[in-house]
């Protein structure tokens, strides 16, 4: 029989929120992430294990499938919703300091840009990967990023842009962060971006999708 952690991973990957959820159809009537995480914690399983060997394993699998174009945005969103249902039970343990996060990741869509679907996906995958995320929302300019870097020493920063007109603001934000906190890792992404553009503005890494963003951050903060 599969362990409860494996069941949590599978339900996260498949986007099975709770017992009442009709999606996915082949898992109807079965417990979902909500019930399984509550049960795991009441069985005395460490919150870190529930996160690292359950929820994160499931999000990792779906993230890799998304990178390979085997699943698409709706499946990733369902998995992220399932993950959030589990995180609701873990949050009190993290808030109390009983379980550790990997670090803080500040993310925002840059000034002048209101597109946030991709940025939200990155946020969810990062949270699923064990990062504390500070989401600056959309239309975030230099001041907002600098304030967040100041409030969260040692954080990594992610900039998202969907417009060729707004990606130009990324260079100013990168420069301002470099001036204030030179060691900050800065990650950029969004449909119009390229590795060449990332190199030109002096960011540390370009990520084509959320999973690559997570992999870059995880390898940079070992
Ligand atoms: Co707009 N829009 N839009 N739009 N819109 C595009 C981007 C556009 C390509 C459409 C087109 O003309 N074919 C075009 C941009 C052209 C260009 O600049 N080259 C465009 C335009 C022109 C505009 C307006 C200017 C239209 C107008 O008003 N005349 C206007 C601008 C408003 C503004 O921002 N100031 C506008 C407005 C809007 C809506 C508000 C209606 C809506 C946004 C709603 C919202 O986000 N809440 C919208 C939408 C939905 C789109 C399209 C249709 C879809 C974008 C999207 O969400 N994709 C888009 C056309 C298209 O792509 N088919 C379009 C799905 C999302 C999951 O992908 O964001 O690329 P994406 O994120 C990916 C990766 O890029 C990566 O991970 C995600 C998952 O793989 N990623 C990161 C993203 N950020 C990352 C950060 C990282 C790492 C990876 O690290 C930090």
């Amino acid at each position: 029989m599969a362990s409860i952690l494996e069941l949590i991973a599978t339900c996260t990957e498949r986007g099975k929120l709770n017992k009442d959820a009709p999606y996915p159809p082949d898992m109807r009537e079965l417990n979902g992430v909500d019930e399984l995480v509550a049960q795991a914690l009441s069985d005395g399983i460490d919150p870190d294990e529930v996160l690292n060997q359950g929820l994160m394993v499931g999000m990792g699998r779906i993230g890799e499938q998304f990178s390979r174009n085997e699943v698409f945005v709706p499946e990733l969103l369902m998995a992220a919703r399932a993950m959030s249902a589990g995180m609701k039970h873990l949050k009190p343990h993290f808030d109390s300091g009983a379980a550790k996060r990997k670090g803080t990741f500040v993310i925002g869509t840059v000034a002048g840009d209101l597109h946030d679907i991709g940025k939200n996906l990155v946020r969810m995958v990062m949270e699923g990967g064990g990062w504390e995320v500070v989401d600056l929302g959309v239309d975030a300019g230099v001041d907002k990023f600098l304030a967040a870097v100041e409030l969260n020493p040692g954080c990594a920063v992610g900039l998202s842009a969907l417009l060729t007109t707004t990606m130009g603001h990324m260079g100013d934000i990168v420069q301002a962060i470099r001036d204030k906190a030179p060691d900050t890792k800065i990650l950029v992404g969004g449909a119009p971006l390229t590795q060449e553009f990332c190199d030109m503005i002096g960011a540390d890494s370009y990520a084509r999708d959320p999973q690559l963003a997570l992999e870059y951050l995880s390898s940079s903060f070992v």
Side-chain angles (χ1 to χ4, degrees), residues 66 73 105 107 112-119 121-122 158-165 187-192 207-210 213:
F66 184 80
V73 170
F105 180 57
I107 187 168
D113 201 323
L114 303 177
H115 296 85
D116 67 356
I117 298 170
K119 184 264 299 166
L121 284 174
V122 176
L159 311 177
S160 178
L162 260 286
L163 298 172
T164 44
T165 47
L187 184 65
V188 293
R208 180 172 40 80
D209 64 43

Side-chain angles (χ1 to χ4, degrees), residues 5-32:
L5 294 175
E6 176 50 32
L7 287 174
I8 291 170
T10 303
C11 286
T12 306
E13 176 186 359
R14 301 287 317 279
K16 176 68 177 169
L17 204 64
N18 57 34
K19 192 167 185 178
D20 294 336
Y23 177 88
D26 61 308
M27 294 178 87
R28 265 190 201 173
E29 310 296 325
L30 297 178
N31 281 337

Side-chain angles (χ1 to χ4, degrees), residues 3 154 166 217:
S3 75
T166 58
L217 278 194

Side-chain angles (χ1 to χ4, degrees), residues 1-84:
M1 206 180 91
S3 75
I4 190 161
L5 294 175
E6 176 50 32
L7 287 174
I8 291 170
T10 303
C11 286
T12 306
E13 176 186 359
R14 301 287 317 279
K16 176 68 177 169
L17 204 64
N18 57 34
K19 192 167 185 178
D20 294 336
Y23 177 88
D26 61 308
M27 294 178 87
R28 265 190 201 173
E29 310 296 325
L30 297 178
N31 281 337
V33 172
D34 195 13
E35 293 85 7
L36 290 168
V37 170
Q39 189 192 325
L41 292 174
S42 77
D43 288 352
I45 299 180
D46 190 280
D48 271 332
E49 272 182 53
V50 176
L51 179 66
N52 295 318
Q53 292 169 40
L55 296 167
M56 275 167 55
V57 170
M59 274 309 280
R61 287 182 197 153
I62 195 85
E64 283 160 20
Q65 290 161 32
F66 184 80
S67 277
R68 296 194 297 265
N69 290 325
E70 292 167 6
V71 298
F72 301 97
V73 170
E75 286 91 344
L76 193 58
L77 285 174
M78 289 309 291
R81 282 188 63 204
M83 169 98 200
S84 302

Side-chain angles (χ1 to χ4, degrees), residues 123-204:
R123 183 191 73 206
M124 290 171 194
V125 169
M126 261 347 147
E127 285 171 344
W131 287 78
E132 181 74 42
V133 177
V134 175
D135 188 347
L136 303 181
V138 296
D139 194 18
V142 170
D143 292 349
K144 232 176 180 179
F145 277 99
L146 285 185
V149 167
E150 195 167 1
L151 269 175
N152 299 281
C155 67
V157 175
L159 311 177
S160 178
L162 260 286
L163 298 172
T164 44
T165 47
T166 58
M167 60 193 263
H169 297 311
M170 286 179 155
D172 299 338
I173 299 171
V174 170
Q175 190 54 54
I177 296 171
R178 291 270 177 261
D179 291 345
K180 185 158 196 156
D183 295 335
T184 308
K185 294 280 180 212
I186 307 175
L187 184 65
V188 293
L193 271 74
T194 59
Q195 183 61 51
E196 202 181 14
F197 179 77
C198 165
D199 297 340
M200 190 183 84
I201 63 172
D204 292 295

